Amino acid sequence: MSAKIIDGKAISANVKEQVKAEVERDKLDIGLAVVIVGDDPASRVYVNNKKKACEFCGIKSYEYALPAETSEEQLLELVDTLNADKKVNGILVQLPLPDHINEKKIIERISRDKDVDAFHESNVGRIMIGNFAFLPCTPAGCMELIHSTGIDVSGKNCVVIGRSNIVGKPMAMLLLHENGTVTICHSKTKNLAEVCAAADILVAAVGRANFVTADMVKEGAVVIDVGINRLENGKLCGDVKFDEVSEKAGYITPVPGGVGPMTIAMLMRNTVTAWRIQNEK
Ligand code: NDP
């Protein structure tokens, strides 16, 4: 059996079209501030892609590119300024930040109504209890990809590999909210291959190239590959060994062209939500 490829590029383009149409229809004047500190090349690429998506959707983007030596105090001051700025509806601080800046402190300073990444503790807590305004972008993108298969999550055996605060844990929560039976695996999990092989829906968010092999995948499973790993030859690859797993899975996301573009599309959706929270309460 050969898996159907879940086309994240096409699905994300559709989400962005919907956002653009909504912005045009309601004549929304929306602004997203994107803050980048230092010159990490991967972060630069992500920021540029986010700016391009804003342009497409008719959302104004305000970029703040700060030098690596920026102090924590200066960054906090910028966040305060953006929190107070009515033109700015969403604030995104590109991670990782340089080591001398406490990421947690910066994220907690962002107004929770402008926290379009949904990283603020209060938004994380709201995801936990199911009363959320913003969905965390990457897990929300994964859910859209799963929905695109037409498979109902309810009652399915779902396995998430990875328990980070930005991907693994919120991913597990979203699957649970849709009544999946969810197992979270991590570096201490015993019999990982066996646990994964029982999954109807398998989400890999490990950060290790080709980690998920065909023996870890159930015949016909939905496999969502969140991983972005750069190989020595400069090519990008996911956490899933695509060639062999695609022979066994029912549906699979490619890397690139799977989860990555969805993350940005969901950010656009969250930015519109932020505008509505700030203007319609
Ligand atoms: P983290 O490094 O924060 O988390 C990785 C998780 O994988 C940890 O929970 C870790 O377990 C687990 N893990 C590591 N090694 C093993 C192992 N041998 N067996 C089982 N579990 C293991 O990464 P992120 O969650 O931030 O990101 C994961 C991947 O997703 C990365 O490749 C990242 O680049 C990518 N990513 C992609 C995005 C996109 O838009 N497509 C967005 C965000 C991330 P433990 O907790 O025990 O250490």
Side-chain angles (χ1 to χ4, degrees), residues 12-272:
S12 67
N14 202 15
V15 172
K16 283 187 287 185
E17 286 288 354
Q18 286 168 12
V19 172
K20 180 185 162 87
E22 187 178 341
V23 169
E24 280 173 10
R25 184 195 65 209
D26 295 349
K27 299 186 176 52
L28 304 181
D29 187 9
I30 307 182
L32 173 67
V34 182
V35 181
I36 177 169
V37 184
D39 47 15
D40 177 53
S43 293
R44 188 70 256 168
V45 172
Y46 295 140
V47 165
N48 287 343
N49 288 342
K50 287 166 188 173
K51 279 169 65 185
K52 266 192 231 157
C54 281
E55 217 169 282
F56 177 84
C57 294
I59 293 173
K60 292 193 187 80
S61 68
Y62 305 103
E63 184 184 319
Y64 296 83
L66 308 179
E69 322 70 81
T70 303
S71 70
E72 188 176 282
E73 204 45 50
Q74 285 169 321
L75 188 52
L76 287 169
E77 268 170 35
L78 173 60
V79 171
D80 287 342
T81 307
L82 297 173
N83 280 341
D85 188 339
K86 291 230 163 2
K87 293 192 305 296
V88 171
N89 305 105
I91 303 171
L92 181 153
V93 177
Q94 185 64 46
L95 303 180
L97 289 169
D99 288 345
H100 65 276
I101 299 179
N102 182 337
E103 278 182 6
K104 190 171 177 304
K105 211 163 158 184
I106 303 298
I107 289 167
E108 292 314 308
R109 192 71 156 250
I110 297 172
S111 151
R112 77 168 198 180
D113 290 347
K114 295 191 177 186
D115 172 38
V116 283
D117 263 333
F119 290 166
H120 189 289
E121 273 179 9
S122 125
N123 284 322
V124 173
R126 293 170 78 186
I127 292 160
M128 186 84 179
I129 57 173
N131 167 30
F132 39 80
F134 301 117
L135 289 168
C137 300
T138 301
C142 294
M143 293 307 293
E144 290 276 329
L145 296 175
I146 294 168
H147 294 154
S148 78
T149 66
I151 288 171
D152 186 3
V153 173
S154 182
K156 295 289 184 309
N157 201 4
C158 306
V159 173
V160 179
I161 323 174
R163 57 172 163 178
S164 72
N165 288 329
I166 62 170
V167 189
K169 281 187 211 163
M171 184 71 228
M173 276 304 134
L174 298 190
L175 289 163
L176 185 61
H177 287 315
E178 293 197 13
N179 300 318
T181 303
V182 186
T183 306
I184 307 176
C185 298
H186 46 77
S187 63
K188 307 286 186 294
T189 299
K190 298 221 163 48
N191 308 324
L192 180 86
E194 213 174 286
V195 176
C196 294
D200 303 306
I201 298 172
L202 178 63
V203 181
V206 192
R208 290 182 181 224
N210 299 320
F211 183 81
V212 176
T213 46
D215 59 306
M216 296 165 73
V217 174
K218 183 175 173 176
E219 195 85 40
V222 177
V223 179
I224 306 291
D225 189 352
V226 183
I228 301 176
N229 308 292
R230 196 160 292 277
L231 299 174
E232 275 177 11
N233 63 11
K235 277 194 167 173
L236 283 185
C237 100
D239 290 344
V240 176
K241 207 163 187 182
F242 186 87
D243 291 350
E244 61 179 60
V245 173
S246 60
E247 288 299 312
K248 201 170 177 191
Y251 295 88
I252 188 167
T253 61
V255 177
V259 176
M262 288 308 292
T263 299
I264 295 178
M266 302 321 282
L267 173 70
M268 296 300 107
R269 200 176 261 177
N270 277 353
T271 308
V272 176

